[in-house]
Amino acid sequence: MPLDILKTVFGYNSFRGDQEEIIHHVLEKKDALVLMPTGGGKSLCYQIPALIFEGVTVVVSPLISLMKDQVQALQAHGISAEYINSSNSPQEEEIIIERALHGDIKLLYLSPEKLLTVSSTWLTGLNLSMIAIDEAHCISMWGHDFRPEYAQMQNLRKQFSSIPFIALTATADKLTREDIVGQLNLSHPKTFISSFNRENLSLNVRSQIPKKDKLKEIKRFISERSNESGIIYCLSRKNTEDLADELEAYGFSVACYHAGLPPQKREHIQEAFINDDLKIIVATIAFGMGIDKSNVRWVIHNNLPKNIEGYYQEIGRAGRDGLPSDTLLYFNYKDVVLLKQFADQSGQQTIQQEKLKRMLQFAEATSCRRRILLAYFGEHLAENCGNCDVCNDPPNFIDGTIIAQKAMSGIVRLKEKVSVNMLINVLRGSANAEVIGMGYNKIKTYGVGKEYSFFDWQSYIVQLINLGGIEIAYDDKNRLKLTPYGWEILKGDQQIQLTIPKKKEQIKKKSSALVKKETDSQLFEKLRALRMQIAKEENVPPYIIFNDKSLKEMAADMPVTDNQFLGVSGVGEQKLLRFGEEFMSIIKQYKNANKPVAKKSTLSETLDLYKQGFSPAEIAEKRNLQITTIYSHLASGYEEDSSINIMPLFSSDNLLTIKKIKSDLGAEDQNKLKPYFEQANEKIPYHEIRLILSFLSKDV
Ligand code: ADP
Ligand code: ZN
């Protein structure tokens, strides 16, 4: 039963991960706590039971925009769903309550405030089947997004004791998890924890890229993904404005977004982004909370995020539809200095510093990044992922002891008084004024590192810092110092491995590892335009009509019958009914316009010869083709142009026989050749049947 609903209503072929188990559990009226990453498919876990249960399922959700999105998506699938929150007028609310009381609504979304104010009024009159609490971590003070309204839901469980409760969240550590269960008073809940691995997201990191190069890279990255939506996260409001300006000047469809903008403007930008009218948003982390847009194709971090939780959540906004999407993180040591200061001022210095350190470890990783990321969330990945920059281009390790000793002896001889750039200048024997002025050209290590470029030295020194041989004294003009471990290397008591610096411009082009089918991009654009037009007419975001995944499948498989169309992922009966014809007519047009040219000419060549008086057998010989092919050319030719005289090619007896059989056959069989062949006692050859049917098709 749940599987039937998955197929016919939602248009998907199979459940993902724990979905089926969760649904069966809930259908037994038992409580559940569901942990699934963003885009994992939490919604179906309560939506399908809601359709099976009698009565109304109430869904508590903290964000108005998310609620609206979900309800629109459900309605597009033909499900009666509504929401009540502060955005409804009293009249609208009245009507929805009436309908709910009448049992006309299957899923009713409520904000937590609303739920609390009505829990003792009309809510008690509803035939309630279940309560689902989305973003359940909001109930916990331990979570990162505590909401007092959620905390007040403690008594609900007792009040509605006979129905199941299901709590869902994408982020919850162990403490928060226990807190959710306790605060909601869930009764013997089963906890379902899904993998947090988002395989469709490629993970890429670029370190220490000068600002100008970074901008160039970002522009190229975006250009390679024209027409795709993406988000760029920056640390400061000013950054977002500057970068958005730069990109806009370059002709991209872009806007900046941060908490300092007037609410109306923010809403407007968000709306435009959701509706695909605006492709790129440059934002502070204030952006994205309420965004459920499924076709964000890429996320760039312009700076290092302050912890892995935040990073994971932000990259998680890409690829919710499961299609390959790219993420790219830039960081440099200035970010680290700044973030260290933030951490110190945060009031939770130790823990924030520790989190920053873990973030940095991820960014500096020389082994599979996904394994590191998942390990942070307590998940163990058995193999390298194959979809991160480290996997795609593994670092080459070399014995770096001598390189390290050169740098370290430089630091010591410069009395631990210089920062990175000066050290490199000295090592490379630069004759710049500052070096000469300080007399650094006289020390013994001057010029010992000429063979490496400035860029290479930068990379080596960064590695030595990461590996704990050198320290940056952030509190002392960023001067470089040797650690005890560094001294051991310098003295030759320790060896050290370094990786050969990557050349610039090595970021992966469009990831395509996960794209299985070749989509026709011209057709895709046509379908996308139609989707946009319908979305505008119906005043919903385009992905509510069909998400990108569905469109891509359409462009690849080119369905032209109802059955084929139903085979597209995300197409249920309702969507077939509402949109099938329009989309299929685009596909048909496209197919016709793009019929292989060769076929056209081979057909007309046959027709030309026929018109000149050659018999089918002669044409077959001339053209070195099967005679049946010639007959089929003539049949198709006749259907398009009935002035071609095909009468001489079949006997009038056979014509009458086929005509009779046709009138006896059901509509279903009339277009197949075999029934005619059999009913005519196998006496009329197939090619002749085909010709006669073409003839009859014009005989009205
Ligand atoms: P979450 O709430 O966990 O972030 P959603 O419930 O919004 O994720 O689901 C993310 C996307 O995956 C949606 O587009 C949804 O329709 C799709 N999806 C969910 N379950 C399946 C499934 N079994 N097969 C295919 N697509 C699915
Ligand atoms: Zn990897």
Side-chain angles (χ1 to χ4, degrees), residues 425-439:
N425 283 333
V426 173
L427 290 171
R428 299 191 67 242
S430 154
N432 83 22
E434 212 187 336
V435 174
I436 308 291
M438 297 295 289

Side-chain angles (χ1 to χ4, degrees), residues 6 12-16 19 36-44 70 292 294 320-321 547 549 569:
L6 182 76
Y12 299 132
N13 281 325
S14 55
F15 284 109
R16 271 191 200 155
Q19 279 177 332
M36 236 186 237
T38 312
K42 283 186 285 300
S43 323
L44 287 183
Q70 292 254 352
D292 202 6
S294 70
R320 297 186 64 139
D321 52 13
N547 64 23
K549 188 171 181 183
S569 167

Side-chain angles (χ1 to χ4, degrees), residues 686-700:
Y686 274 109
H687 68 260
E688 197 170 327
I689 299 173
R690 170 88 212 275
L691 271 178
I692 295 173
L693 285 176
S694 296
F695 183 76
L696 289 175
S697 73
K698 298 280 175 179
D699 178 32
V700 266

Side-chain angles (χ1 to χ4, degrees), residues 318-366:
R320 297 186 64 139
D321 52 13
L323 288 179
S325 304
D326 296 313
T327 77
L328 176 57
L329 162 67
Y330 285 98
F331 83 103
N332 61 46
Y333 283 91
K334 277 200 199 115
D335 301 343
V336 181
V337 175
L338 197 69
L339 288 167
K340 278 201 162 126
Q341 285 167 4
F342 288 167
D344 286 343
Q345 295 154 6
S346 69
Q348 291 176 294
Q349 192 182 4
T350 332
I351 188 163
Q352 299 298 346
Q353 292 285 15
E354 187 52 36
K355 288 192 170 191
L356 177 59
K357 206 163 120 196
R358 300 288 300 267
M359 185 69 231
L360 201 54
Q361 279 170 0
F362 169 84
E364 289 166 341
T366 49

Side-chain angles (χ1 to χ4, degrees), residues 285 301 305-315 317 377:
I285 53 170
H301 282 86
K306 63 175 191 266
N307 55 46
I308 290 187
E309 287 93 338
Y311 170 71
Y312 181 80
Q313 198 168 43
E314 283 141 25
I315 59 169
R317 302 208 165 105
F377 294 110

Side-chain angles (χ1 to χ4, degrees), residues 203 367-371 381 383-392:
L203 306 174
S367 62
C368 175
R369 291 194 203 279
R370 198 173 312 265
R371 294 179 89 165
L381 200 62
E383 280 174 15
N384 288 346
C385 78
N387 195 21
C388 74
D389 54 346
V390 181
C391 282
N392 286 325

